[in-house]
Amino acid sequence: MGKILIFGHKNPDTDSITSSIVLANLERALGKDAEACRLGKINKETEYVLNYLGIEAPRLLEDVEDGQEVMLVDHASNKESIDNLENSTILKIVDHHKVALNTAYPLYYRAEPVGCTETILYKLYQENGVEIDKKIATLMLSAIISDTLLFKSPTCTKEDVEIANQLAQIAGIDCNTYGLEMLKAGTDLSEFSIEEILNLDAKEIDLKSVKSIIAQVNTASIDDVMKMKMDLEAGMQKTISEKGLDLFMLLITDIVNSNSQTIALGKRVDLVEKTYGVTLENNTALLKGVVSRKKQVVPVLTENA
Ligand code: MG
Ligand code: MG
Ligand code: MG
């Protein structure tokens, strides 16, 4: 077989991109022929990280050939993966999400309930005695900061913080200064169309039988993003019709104050109101203290669905 292709989820975030690069580097160090790939456009935050290090984005992968050997990072779900994943052979998964994938064959599966895939990859480097150089450390650290919103997200564990501190030492980086600048870079939406903004970090999720998209956009100013509310709603409505969704929930997450303003549309917005005890006014409400889709949105909505 040729090269093993390694990629994260669609609408890639910093964890998906950097973990692909970092795992590919580990596999190569262990003698495998591996290449990091990506399933979508690089966001502004990830662009900041890659520019900081002066490295190129992984190759964009449109589909995989029959029998292609792959490794998945930062996701374990068909819906979030490459369209024809079922044609490939998954050798390995390293992830920190719920298990949402079945294979007919055995594979290496490493999942831990930590804040970031890179935290697990750090341990894999240690376990395999592979050196973490400055560049790899910076990639790992960037993703941990991104996924945990500078350690403020409820998904952040003690282990994420400890490992991030180790990595900051190797990288010679001050977490707060670098992290804030990186997160801020990710809030620059000026180059994106409404459709792209809604897609930047969107996940298609079935909340039991409620067909949903939950999208998230980080900002330093909720008001700035809310200026686009009419256009965002039009875009969301279009997607609801096209995909036959029951719910489209957009989270506009204030990375400074750790709150999210939500805009919710669709016939099941009652789920949002019931779950958070809020009344949507003009389709919107402030969800105090909510920053994590994985921990504070998906499980609670699923429970109430
Ligand atoms: Mg991710
Ligand atoms: Mg992640
Ligand atoms: Mg995320």
Side-chain angles (χ1 to χ4, degrees):
M1 293 277 11
K3 260 193 176 97
I4 299 163
L5 303 182
I6 303 178
F7 47 84
H9 53 76
K10 282 180 183 164
N11 306 329
D13 55 12
T14 298
D15 190 21
S16 267
I17 297 297
T18 62
S19 288
S20 308
I21 300 171
V22 166
L23 180 58
N25 185 68
L26 175 63
E27 294 296 331
R28 285 194 299 269
L30 298 173
K32 300 258 173 60
D33 192 11
E35 183 191 5
C37 297
R38 65 184 159 95
L39 302 188
K41 200 170 163 177
I42 297 283
N43 71 30
K44 286 281 164 190
E45 181 195 277
T46 311
E47 189 179 284
Y48 176 90
V49 178
L50 298 177
N51 286 343
Y52 180 89
L53 289 167
I55 59 177
E56 300 246 320
R59 173 165 68 94
L60 180 68
L61 200 59
E62 306 275 0
D63 54 15
V64 285
E65 281 175 33
D66 266 11
Q68 172 68 51
E69 292 185 321
V70 302
M71 294 182 182
L72 311 184
V73 290
D74 196 33
H75 73 300
S77 132
N78 278 298
K79 277 199 161 165
E80 290 181 58
S81 202
I82 196 149
D83 289 335
N84 58 349
L85 181 70
E86 59 281 357
N87 297 344
S88 69
T89 302
I90 306 169
L91 300 180
K92 188 179 277 193
I93 298 176
V94 183
D95 186 35
H96 67 129
H97 295 85
K98 68 172 184 171
V99 184
L101 191 142
N102 263 313
T103 59
Y105 51 85
L107 71 156
Y108 182 100
Y109 195 109
R110 177 78 172 254
E112 293 186 30
V114 290
C116 183
T117 308
E118 294 285 17
T119 300
I120 310 167
L121 286 172
Y122 174 91
K123 295 202 241 176
L124 287 176
Y125 270 69
Q126 302 282 340
E127 289 163 21
N128 286 286
V130 174
E131 191 212 343
I132 296 171
D133 64 20
K134 213 169 167 163
K135 190 175 83 182
I136 294 293
T138 306
L139 289 167
M140 286 176 163
L141 178 62
S142 301
I144 296 174
I145 290 170
S146 166
D147 268 12
T148 65
L149 289 177
L150 245 178
F151 317 120
K152 286 193 294 188
S153 167
T155 55
C156 186
T157 67
K158 205 171 140 237
E159 224 170 3
D160 295 301
V161 179
E162 281 165 7
I163 288 174
N165 286 332
Q166 300 283 333
L167 292 167
Q169 293 240 314
I170 302 170
I173 279 174
D174 176 76
C175 281
N176 274 307
T177 315
Y178 172 83
L180 269 180
E181 232 173 273
M182 184 199 80
L183 289 171
K184 280 234 174 83
T187 65
D188 175 13
L189 302 173
S190 57
E191 277 178 33
F192 295 105
S193 67
I194 290 291
E195 198 178 314
E196 284 172 326
I197 291 170
L198 290 171
N199 240 306
L200 271 176
D201 183 10
K203 287 197 198 291
E204 288 189 41
I205 303 172
D206 290 339
L207 308 161
K208 290 192 187 129
S209 62
V210 181
K211 212 176 162 212
S212 311
I213 288 184
I214 304 175
Q216 189 165 27
V217 48
N218 287 348
T219 185
S221 157
I222 286 175
D223 286 346
D224 277 0
V225 181
M226 287 298 275
K227 282 181 191 142
M228 298 183 275
K229 180 166 177 280
M230 292 233 313
D231 294 328
L232 290 167
E233 287 179 351
M236 289 164 70
Q237 205 63 66
K238 187 163 165 264
T239 309
I240 289 172
S241 312
E242 281 169 3
K243 301 205 174 201
L245 300 177
D246 303 310
L247 176 67
F248 193 136
M249 184 179 181
L250 173 65
L251 293 159
I252 302 160
T253 300
D254 182 333
I255 56 166
V256 184
N257 299 303
S258 301
N259 292 315
S260 291
Q261 185 79 31
T262 186
I263 301 175
L265 293 176
K267 56 176 184 272
R268 290 306 312 275
V269 292
D270 61 293
L271 202 53
V272 176
E273 297 192 312
K274 183 178 150 197
T275 300
Y276 299 100
V278 295
T279 307
L280 293 164
E281 278 175 44
N282 294 319
N283 311 316
T284 185
L286 181 70
L287 309 181
K288 283 200 181 129
V290 172
V291 294
S292 167
R293 173 174 50 202
K294 185 161 70 172
K295 212 149 181 170
Q296 297 170 297
V297 180
V298 175
V300 281
L301 288 178
T302 305
E303 205 178 291
N304 287 326

